[in-house]
């Protein structure tokens, strides 16, 4: 007689990414987790804190992202998904969202970030979205000959490479400076890594404040200082080659004029 076997449960495997205080408490940046089919983001959090109970007290302030987009706790997961646990980085009573992202985002991220940062007392939200353009920039030192070879051609995509741990620290320093200079303590800087095709977004900055002058000043400072100081490198890709773009990194804020 044939033996009956119990059906095996279907499982999905996801990758959980941890940042800032969570990364330090857990002692790791990434955690592979296996979940039952049909699991949601909250299930991933539950499995994570089962393995790292020290993270449990942070649940009230954590936000989630699935494959590079903000997600609710009830969002369903699929095999191979990446789930980012996003804790706030506080400066005083404020809230910061400072991230490097491998996955694409579009203009809707500005509304998402504004919603995450703003409080009823805020009267101003200033957002900036940087995109890949077709016209080339200034070549990095030593890249002049390669840039000349591609003169007159259109950029097809950008490639970003980052020293992630140091970039995160620079983002935090810039946010501290913005709070000290402009009194703005609710700020987001989200920067892409990897390949960014023509027309897609590479950086999003959002500053939220009670008054518009401070929000405008904070957003401008954030984008200018990120471009000048963060260890993030950019290559412009053409049909038959690429050119690295940029200048020597500044190690601190620009001198006030």
């Amino acid at each position: 007689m044939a033996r009956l076997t119990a059906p095996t449960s279907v499982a999905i495997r996801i990758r959980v990414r941890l940042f800032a205080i969570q990364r330090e408490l857990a002692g790791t940046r990434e955690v592979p987790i296996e979940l039952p089919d049909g699991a949601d983001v909250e299930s991933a959090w539950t499995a994570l804190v089962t393995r790292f109970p020290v993270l449990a007290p942070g649940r009230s302030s954590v936000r989630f992202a699935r494959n590079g987009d903000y997600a609710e706790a009830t969002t369903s997961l699929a095999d191979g998904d990446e789930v980012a646990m996003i804790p706030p980085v506080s400066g005083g009573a404020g809230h910061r969202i400072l991230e490097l992202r491998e996955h694409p985002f579009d203009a809707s991220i500005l509304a998402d970030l504004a919603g995450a940062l703003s409080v009823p007392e805020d009267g101003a939200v200033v957002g900036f979205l940087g995109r890949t353009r077709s016209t080339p920039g200034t070549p990095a030192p030593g890249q002049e000959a390669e840039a000349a070879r591609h003169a007159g051609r259109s950029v097809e995509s950008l490639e970003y490479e980052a020293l992630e741990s140091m970039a995160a620290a620079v983002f935090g320093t810039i946010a501290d400076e913005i709070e000290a200079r402009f009194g703005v303590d609710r700020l987001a800087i989200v920067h892409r890594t990897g390949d960014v095709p023509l027309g897609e977004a590479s950086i999003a900055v959002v500053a939220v404040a009670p008054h518009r002058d401070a929000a405008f000043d904070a957003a401008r400072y954030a984008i200018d200082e990120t471009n000048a100081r963060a260890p993030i490198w950019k290559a412009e890709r053409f049909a038959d080659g690429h050119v690295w773009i940029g200048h020597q990194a500044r190690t601190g804020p620009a001198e006030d004029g």
Side-chain angles (χ1 to χ4, degrees):
M1 178 180 294
R3 178 177 297 177
L4 298 178
T5 58
T8 57
S9 59
V10 178
I12 62 172
R13 293 173 177 82
I14 66 167
R15 179 170 64 121
V16 172
R17 298 191 66 191
L18 303 177
F19 302 89
I21 184 70
Q22 295 173 344
R23 171 179 51 77
E24 292 180 351
L25 290 173
T28 184
R29 293 180 181 275
E30 295 187 5
V31 182
I33 289 180
E34 186 170 288
L35 297 169
D37 187 40
D40 59 11
V41 170
E42 188 67 44
S43 302
W45 172 261
T46 300
L48 179 69
V49 298
T50 298
R51 192 177 303 184
F52 302 101
V54 69
L55 299 178
R59 175 62 184 90
S60 62
S61 59
V62 74
R63 285 174 59 81
F64 305 106
R66 173 181 174 270
N67 298 334
D69 291 317
Y70 281 107
E72 298 296 330
T74 55
T75 301
S76 296
L77 297 175
D79 190 57
D81 278 352
E82 175 188 275
V83 177
M85 308 300 182
I86 303 174
V89 182
S90 298
H95 182 185
R96 301 173 184 174
I97 299 172
L98 310 173
E99 303 175 15
L100 290 169
R101 287 197 187 183
E102 298 176 2
H103 295 284
F105 52 81
D106 58 25
S108 66
I109 192 176
L110 298 179
D112 292 339
L113 294 172
L117 293 171
S118 59
V119 298
E121 293 77 16
D122 290 321
V125 175
V126 174
F128 171 84
L129 195 72
R131 307 192 323 151
T132 299
R133 66 175 189 265
S134 61
T135 54
T138 302
Q143 288 282 281
E144 293 84 0
E146 186 66 11
R149 190 171 74 84
H150 296 289
R153 301 176 184 174
S154 294
V155 175
E156 296 189 354
S157 68
L158 297 178
E159 181 181 352
Y160 287 95
E161 180 179 339
L163 179 55
E164 293 193 2
S165 59
M166 185 176 176
V170 171
F171 287 173
T173 298
I174 291 170
D176 288 341
E177 293 166 1
I178 285 171
E179 183 173 0
R181 289 171 180 245
F182 311 117
V184 174
D185 58 9
R186 289 180 298 287
L187 177 77
I189 304 172
V190 180
H191 203 299
R192 278 288 311 277
T193 58
D195 186 63
V196 183
L198 188 67
E200 289 193 8
S202 58
I203 184 170
V205 170
V206 171
V208 179
H211 304 289
R212 64 179 181 270
D213 287 347
F216 273 114
D217 289 341
R220 179 61 182 261
Y221 189 90
I223 185 62
D224 287 349
E225 294 302 304
T226 296
N227 284 344
R229 295 159 58 184
I232 301 172
W233 300 274
K234 177 173 71 175
E236 294 177 339
R237 295 204 165 274
F238 301 88
D240 61 346
H242 67 274
V243 177
W244 289 99
I245 301 299
H247 49 75
Q248 186 177 36
R250 254 201 286 114
T251 58
E255 294 295 328
D256 293 328

